[in-house]
Every structure is written in structure tokens, then in C-alpha cells.
Amino acid sequence: MQDRAEVDIYLEPPLRKSAESGAHNFIGKVARVLENAQFRVTYRDIGGPVRAPDALTLSHMAPAPTTRGLIFRRCYHYPFWQIEARPERWLWDVALGEFDPALIDPIEAQRFYRFWQKRLFGSAPEQTRRDGPIYVTLQGRLLQRRSFQSCSPIEMLEHTLAQSTCLIVAALHPKEVYSAEELTALERLAAQHPRLTLTMGQMERHLQNCAFVVTQNSAVAFSGYFFGKPALFFGQIDFHHIGVRADLADLSQCFDAAERAEPDFAAYLWWFWQDNCINAGRAEAEEKIAARLRRFGWPV
């Protein structure tokens, strides 16, 4: 019983300092839910020792260090969070759920959508068009195909060049460190295809002007939903429901579908955030936190 009476929350040092001072809204709510359930909460550094292999733990973004541990992470923008059993977003409950726009109140969804468009991006989403370039957002490991990807990122870019005669803007991730080999491969493609432009940053400008987004599973595609931009995914992710999944055997149809797509972005973002995430800014946040912990068998 002693182990069950304690929960260790593993955080990066700056986040741990914020949590210990009571300055972090979401972690504070999590701690309050646990304390109300008679648990003692201790904050620890990620990578630190564990009390027992089956101890109850919560880890920020990192894989759980124990068999009964859970992870939590922000769902793309504050104050939306999720608690899950594993870090792979494409295996989360929301990823496996079914989105039905008919079940969403369209008036409430539009109000929510407009509010968050303005809150996150100001007036930029009001000034968009879909006759611009295809926006290809690159992440890391450009020459490697990982298990959740249908091909490597550089092959994804090659497929895009082969499937479309449009201008293409390929954006490097500003926080990634690319090897000389990766950069050489990109520069070679740009030299072979004058309609390909390589860039970094200026996401909002590109989302305003692009026809649609091509990516493995970049969060840029989620931001693109606020600009009314469809997404074509070459990888697995949690917000895939209104996107087009790349099928290497029929890419022509996939690119055509992405170009013509007009999903209900407002209804989807309401469903994804309000129905399937924890909005730490709302009164029911602690109730939702408790429900997620119970979902994974925690006695709260």
C-alpha cells in the first residue's frame, strides 16, 4: 500500500522548478487530483532513479520508467494536454477514435475555431488562399525511414516533386541539426527542380499561401488546420482523421484528394481538443484528469 500511496512526477529541471513552486497550471491540477485521492506527490528529474519497477509515475513526454507509469504532454498548444500510457501519438486513444462531424454542434465549433484562430495566429488565418505552392514540412533524419513512416523524408519530397507540377516549398525544422549528407541531398534536389524552394521558418506566411501541407507527421500540419489547409501524411500521427494518408501504391489519387479536400476544420478541432484532450483552462479539467488516470487503472 505504501507504493500506491505515492506518485513520482518526472520532469525536466526547469519544469520541475516551475511545478515545485506551484507556477505550472496543468501539473498543479494533476497534483491536486492525486493529493485529493490521498497520494503523496514527489517531483523528480527525468532519468532519475525509480522507487520500484511497478511504482506509479507520470513523465513529461519521456517514456514511463516503470510498468505502471504514464506520460503526459501538451497537445500542440496550451492549455491542451493529454495523459497516455505510451509516447507514440499515433497509438493514443484519440488517434484510434472515430471523428464524426455530425455529432459536433456547428455553431459552438465555429465559435471555438474563430477564437483559437485569433488567439494563436491573430488575423493571419483571415488572409489565406489555396492556389499557392505545396508546403512540405521536413523534420529530422531526412535519409532514414522510421517505423511510423511510409518512406524517408527525402523520398517524401521526391514523391511530391514527381506527383505535382506546382511550385513546392520545403521547410527545414529550425530546431533540427542536419548532416552534410542530408543538406547535400536537399541541395541536389533543388538544383534538379527549379520549382523547389528550400526555406526555414516563416510558417504562418507559408500556411497562408500554400495549397496544402505534405509531411510525415509535423505539428505544422495541425497548425495548418487553423488556416483551412488540408494535410497529406506520409507518417502516422494522432490528428490524422481529416487528413489524407499517403498510399505509395496510389500517390496520384492521394495528391488529388489532398488538393480537393475541404474537411470541417472547426468541428474537428473542437472534437480533438475539447472532447479528447484536457483543457487546463476549464473548470472541468481536474475531472478530466481523474478520468484519464482511471482509464489506465489508477485508483483516483
Side-chain angles (χ1 to χ4, degrees):
M1 185 67 184
Q2 183 177 0
D3 285 343
R4 289 185 60 188
E6 298 181 68
V7 174
D8 294 326
I9 301 181
Y10 288 84
L11 307 166
E12 300 87 342
L15 196 57
R16 177 180 176 179
K17 182 177 180 181
S18 175
E20 288 175 334
S21 69
H24 196 284
N25 181 42
F26 177 70
I27 297 174
K29 290 179 185 292
V30 171
R32 191 153 49 245
V33 168
L34 292 168
E35 289 163 356
N36 287 341
Q38 306 305 309
F39 286 98
R40 182 165 65 87
V41 175
T42 302
Y43 298 111
R44 299 181 183 272
D45 289 333
I46 285 178
V50 298
R51 288 182 294 104
D54 61 348
L56 295 178
T57 64
L58 279 165
S59 305
H60 180 237
M61 297 178 65
T66 66
T67 57
R68 300 186 65 200
L70 301 175
I71 68 149
F72 68 98
R73 69 179 296 164
R74 179 168 52 92
C75 291
Y76 305 105
H77 296 281
Y78 293 109
F80 299 95
W81 296 81
Q82 191 54 281
I83 297 171
E84 278 285 349
R86 53 194 305 171
E88 299 93 343
R89 293 189 179 202
W90 52 93
L91 298 176
W92 285 11
D93 286 346
V94 64
L96 304 178
E98 294 186 9
F99 166 62
D100 183 352
L103 300 179
I104 308 299
D105 181 337
I107 296 175
E108 190 64 20
Q110 278 295 329
R111 181 204 62 78
F112 180 81
Y113 187 55
R114 299 300 181 198
F115 174 85
W116 283 103
Q117 281 181 311
K118 187 176 180 64
R119 175 75 171 268
L120 295 173
F121 303 108
S123 62
E126 300 174 6
Q127 307 160 28
T128 65
R129 66 176 200 267
R130 284 186 58 179
D131 59 352
I134 296 173
Y135 185 28
V136 181
T137 59
L138 300 172
Q139 294 155 277
R141 306 188 198 180
L142 299 184
L143 305 179
Q144 177 184 346
R145 176 188 176 272
R146 289 182 270 177
S147 61
F148 60 89
Q149 299 172 327
S150 58
C151 61
S152 71
I154 199 74
E155 290 170 333
M156 174 182 72
L157 182 54
E158 290 171 340
H159 286 310
T160 304
L161 287 162
Q163 293 297 326
S164 175
T165 58
C166 296
L167 296 175
I168 295 167
V169 173
L172 296 166
H173 195 294
K175 293 185 179 179
E176 290 284 351
V177 177
Y178 295 99
S179 69
E181 186 181 10
E182 289 172 317
L183 294 175
T184 297
L186 284 174
E187 291 164 358
R188 184 181 301 116
L189 276 180
Q192 294 171 350
H193 301 274
R195 58 195 174 89
L196 170 62
T197 300
L198 303 178
T199 187
M200 183 178 290
Q202 297 184 303
M203 178 191 75
E204 291 183 23
R205 180 173 71 84
H206 294 306
L207 287 177
Q208 281 182 303
N209 298 332
C210 71
F212 57 93
V213 177
V214 172
T215 187
Q216 295 285 356
N217 60 5
S218 170
V220 171
F222 187 83
S223 293
Y225 290 168
F226 293 93
F227 290 78
K229 300 304 172 74
L232 174 57
F233 295 107
F234 280 76
Q236 300 179 75
I237 193 57
D238 53 342
F239 57 90
H240 63 85
H241 306 79
I242 59 170
V244 178
R245 183 72 61 85
D247 178 359
L248 296 186
D250 193 9
L251 282 177
S252 176
Q253 188 277 332
C254 296
F255 274 83
D256 183 59
E259 186 174 5
R260 293 183 290 102
E262 294 184 357
D264 190 335
F265 295 104
Y268 182 73
L269 288 166
W270 171 275
W271 176 82
F272 188 91
W273 264 352
Q274 290 293 77
D275 287 352
N276 289 282
C277 294
I278 301 163
N279 184 341
R282 291 177 66 99
E284 67 271 19
E286 291 184 22
E287 180 182 335
K288 283 198 165 188
I289 290 167
R292 290 303 294 171
L293 296 176
R294 288 194 294 268
R295 153 76 176 86
F296 297 105
W298 285 29
V300 298

